[in-house]
């Protein structure tokens, strides 16, 4: 009887401590991967899960997340003017959008103890503009660092899958939109292959932060992995 009491008290204490830690720890989680990897789907599920634990959650995205950054998003994704968007201009627009986003949204949210779930962040710039567009990587990393304004992800979930599978999913999702145009999605397959390879290289370089998930799994299987990794990061 006495033993049972001790076990019960220990369990009670453990859950109290867990609840306390989970309640207060701000966390910055980014979601990365090639086109159509299933990030948005997992973010939605994770938000619901974290809110069911009583946590304050902010879901946001890049490029975007503030009204002005959303304007920049519209340009980098859909611009069709006669004057081509110079690759360095594209990079600067992504970094300008990020600067608005980190300073006005992400940093204040983290400061208030909110869990921030961000659909793409600085690793996407390294993969798309650095590897995809072959821009000067050293300079790009410095710009990334500047635009991040101290908001370094605690955890990055990299949804990896063959680019053909992701492109097919992305195409199927917008098949009903007659005049769909997306500058980056429309890039050639070798561009997207460089993007995928670059994401995997980042994961090899920073294995503590970046966790690679096999995004060809079902939505449910993937979410079980996501939940495990996030619970780990929270405890
Ligand atoms: N970019 C971004 C840069 O070039 N540089 C930068 O610095 C940054 C920040 C953003 C674009 O900007 C580029 C990268 C991008 O090209 P976006 O519209 O946000 O544009 O594009 P994505 O981030 O690629 O978003 P997608 O919506 O295309 O892909 P997701 O969010 O990864 O996928 P999701 O969840 O919408 O799923 C796609 C489809 O697949 C299904 C879903 O139902 C959906 O129909 N699906 C699955 N099917 C089978 N199995 C699963 N496990 C599935 N999960 C989802």
């Amino acid at each position: 009887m006495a033993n049972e009491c001790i076990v019960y008290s220990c369990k009670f204490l453990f859950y109290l401590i867990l609840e306390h830690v989970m309640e207060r720890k701000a966390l910055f989680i980014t979601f990365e991967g090639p086109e159509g990897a299933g990030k948005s789907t997992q973010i939605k599920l994770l938000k619901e899960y974290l809110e069911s634990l009583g946590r304050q959650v902010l879901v946001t995205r890049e490029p975007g997340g503030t009204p002005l950054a959303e304007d920049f998003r519209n340009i980098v994704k859909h611009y069709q003017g006669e004057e081509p968007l110079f690759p360095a201009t594209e990079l600067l627009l992504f970094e300008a959008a990020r600067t608005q986003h980190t300073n006005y949204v992400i940093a204040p949210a983290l400061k208030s103890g909110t869990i921030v779930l961000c659909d793409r962040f600085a690793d996407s710039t390294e993969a798309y503009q650095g590897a995809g567009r072959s821009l000067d990587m050293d300079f790009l990393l410095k710009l990334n660092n500047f635009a991040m304004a101290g908001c370094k992800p605690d955890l990055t979930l990299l949804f990896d899958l063959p680019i053909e599978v992701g492109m097919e999913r992305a195409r199927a999702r917008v098949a009903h939109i007659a005049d769909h145009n997306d500058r980056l999605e429309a890039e050639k397959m070798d561009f997207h292959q460089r993007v995928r390879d670059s994401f995997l290289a980042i994961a090899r370089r920073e294995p503590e932060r970046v966790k690679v998930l096999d995004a060809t799994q079902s939505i449910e299987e993937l979410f079980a992995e996501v939940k495990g990794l996030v619970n780990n990061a929270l405890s």
Side-chain angles (χ1 to χ4, degrees):
M1 186 64 188
N3 276 353
E4 264 175 37
C5 250
I6 291 169
V7 170
Y8 180 78
S9 305
C10 284
K11 272 189 184 167
F12 182 69
L13 208 60
F14 172 77
Y15 285 118
L16 262 187
I17 292 167
L18 192 69
E19 200 173 275
H20 178 73
V21 170
M22 288 182 122
E23 226 171 73
R24 309 200 63 212
K25 194 173 172 184
L27 208 61
F28 182 25
I29 308 177
T30 58
F31 296 71
E32 300 278 12
E35 304 291 317
K39 297 174 280 87
S40 317
T41 306
Q42 296 297 323
I43 289 173
K44 195 166 168 280
L45 293 172
L46 184 59
K47 178 181 193 284
E48 283 164 14
Y49 169 67
L50 290 170
E51 284 178 345
S52 77
L53 298 179
R55 291 300 311 252
Q56 184 82 23
V57 181
L58 172 78
V59 171
T60 188
R61 68 177 181 182
E62 289 216 344
T66 80
L68 182 55
E70 289 289 331
D71 283 350
F72 293 148
R73 175 187 178 90
N74 196 35
I75 298 174
V76 286
K77 276 181 71 83
H78 306 300
Y79 172 76
Q80 283 184 306
E82 268 180 32
E83 172 192 344
L85 198 55
F86 199 68
T89 309
E90 180 186 277
L91 166 66
L92 293 171
L93 285 171
F94 277 112
E95 300 291 8
R98 178 161 307 130
T99 304
Q100 294 296 114
H101 192 206
T102 50
N103 285 289
Y104 286 130
V105 176
I106 298 178
L110 292 173
K111 210 169 163 198
S112 73
T114 299
I115 297 179
V116 177
L117 309 180
C118 190
D119 196 339
R120 296 196 181 280
F121 194 58
D123 297 324
S124 278
T125 318
E126 184 170 342
Y128 280 81
Q129 281 63 51
R133 299 263 189 248
S134 308
L135 294 179
D136 179 339
M137 197 59 98
D138 287 343
F139 182 60
L140 181 151
L141 292 177
K142 281 187 189 129
L143 275 180
N144 257 359
N145 207 33
F146 179 69
M148 281 160 75
C151 300
K152 196 166 166 28
D154 299 293
L155 173 67
T156 295
L157 301 176
L158 171 55
F159 294 83
D160 178 59
L161 80 178
I163 53 168
E164 296 78 10
V165 180
M167 293 303 284
E168 193 42 51
R169 282 188 197 168
R171 276 193 210 110
R173 207 198 40 189
V174 294
H176 63 285
I177 306 172
D179 57 351
H180 173 74
N181 89 295
D182 187 314
R183 293 179 55 256
L184 290 139
E185 212 177 285
E187 279 296 335
K188 296 197 178 75
M189 290 310 253
D190 63 334
F191 174 94
H192 290 291
Q193 190 58 55
R194 287 200 297 281
V195 168
R196 181 189 184 193
D197 294 344
S198 172
F199 276 129
L200 290 171
I202 297 170
R204 284 193 296 276
R205 188 181 74 211
E206 291 185 63
E208 280 301 308
R209 170 177 69 89
V210 184
K211 305 297 177 195
V212 184
L213 295 102
D214 174 3
T216 63
Q217 297 178 90
S218 72
I219 291 172
E220 296 73 23
E221 286 168 327
L222 258 176
F223 186 58
E225 278 193 37
V226 167
K227 218 159 83 171
L229 289 164
V230 171
N231 281 340
N232 249 353
L234 277 170
S235 56

